[in-house]
Amino acid sequence: MHKIISVWMVLIACLCFSCQQKKTYKKPTVEIETNFGNIIVELYPEKAPKTVAAFLSYVDSGYYKGGSFYRVLKAEDQPSSSFKSDLIQGGIWQTKNKLQVGLPGIPLETTKETGLLHKDGTFSLARIGPNSGNTEFFILIGNTAAKAYDYGGDASSDGQGFADFGQVIEGMNIVKQIHLQPDDETNFTPPIVIKNVVRL
């Protein structure tokens, strides 16, 4: 009887220990915490070192705590004359934009330079003009119009595309759930709260 109890105690202890162990990742990885669930993103510093370094510095500084997903593109809402894409965009622009004052733009690491290509789940740096991206990012959904965001694509007015610097490896179901939330044209109504973005 004592042996059976001892065996069970060892098994329980092993289970508790394994539950407490954190999953390890080979590449720098972050978790985006939302009310809908968490999104885990693997980053590619060997391909896009400047973009990843800047993004992680914002993560470590706590910039994304209390941020939001505020912009959404839905293929069915876009004009028939344009390429149709699905994505969600977030960061601190809507909730903490004062933190952006004085932040330098990250030199654009194009997909031509990095060899990375936009696809379903790509984590990419949002920008308006040349080398203007900093804290804002977007996640692509689907592959239909993904190449439009690459170098030479139609999604950027200068044809330079966007800096792909990571990939969602867990939580695309959460991304899709967020994508379905109510919107007014290209704005979530209300915005989706980003509780925080943390390193794993």
Side-chain angles (χ1 to χ4, degrees), residues 142-169:
N143 294 307
T144 306
K147 65 181 181 180
Y149 293 87
D150 293 334
Y151 179 86
D154 297 331
S156 59
S157 58
D158 57 10
Q160 297 294 301
F162 296 83
D164 173 348
F165 68 106
Q167 178 70 31
V168 174
I169 57 172

Side-chain angles (χ1 to χ4, degrees), residues 19-32:
C19 289
Q20 289 172 357
Q21 282 187 315
K22 284 187 175 180
K23 188 174 180 179
T24 56
Y25 298 91
K26 292 181 180 179
K27 296 180 184 294
T29 305
V30 298
E31 187 169 44
I32 303 171

Side-chain angles (χ1 to χ4, degrees), residues 32-139:
I32 303 171
E33 301 170 351
T34 80
N35 289 330
F36 290 87
N38 296 346
I39 303 161
I40 297 178
V41 180
E42 180 180 79
L43 305 175
Y44 302 134
E46 73 284 1
K47 298 281 189 179
K50 294 173 185 176
T51 310
V52 171
F55 175 73
L56 287 176
S57 74
Y58 305 143
V59 169
D60 293 341
S61 297
Y63 279 21
Y64 295 111
K65 188 173 186 178
S68 67
F69 283 108
Y70 51 85
R71 182 169 179 257
V72 59
L73 290 184
K74 297 181 179 180
E76 65 268 22
D77 296 335
Q78 294 165 48
S80 58
S81 58
S82 71
F83 64 91
K84 295 178 179 292
S85 59
D86 293 289
L87 63 79
I88 60 173
Q89 181 173 317
I92 65 171
W93 175 76
Q94 197 171 61
T95 57
K96 303 168 79 174
N97 60 11
K98 287 182 180 178
L99 291 175
Q100 289 183 315
V101 177
L103 283 181
I106 303 166
L108 177 61
E109 294 173 306
T110 69
T111 57
K112 183 179 180 181
E113 298 167 10
T114 65
L116 296 167
L117 297 176
H118 287 81
K119 59 184 179 180
D120 184 40
T122 288
F123 194 70
S124 197
L125 192 70
R127 70 182 184 94
I128 298 172
N131 305 321
S132 65
N134 48 46
T135 58
E136 309 307 284
F137 55 83
F138 64 91
I139 301 172

Side-chain angles (χ1 to χ4, degrees), residues 147-189:
K147 65 181 181 180
Y149 293 87
D150 293 334
Y151 179 86
D154 297 331
S156 59
S157 58
D158 57 10
Q160 297 294 301
F162 296 83
D164 173 348
F165 68 106
Q167 178 70 31
V168 174
I169 57 172
E170 292 180 40
M172 270 308 288
N173 59 318
I174 305 301
V175 173
K176 291 175 182 176
Q177 190 177 357
I178 291 172
H179 186 256
L180 292 172
Q181 298 312 300
D183 66 281
D184 179 11
E185 295 185 349
T186 60
N187 300 306
F188 280 119
T189 53

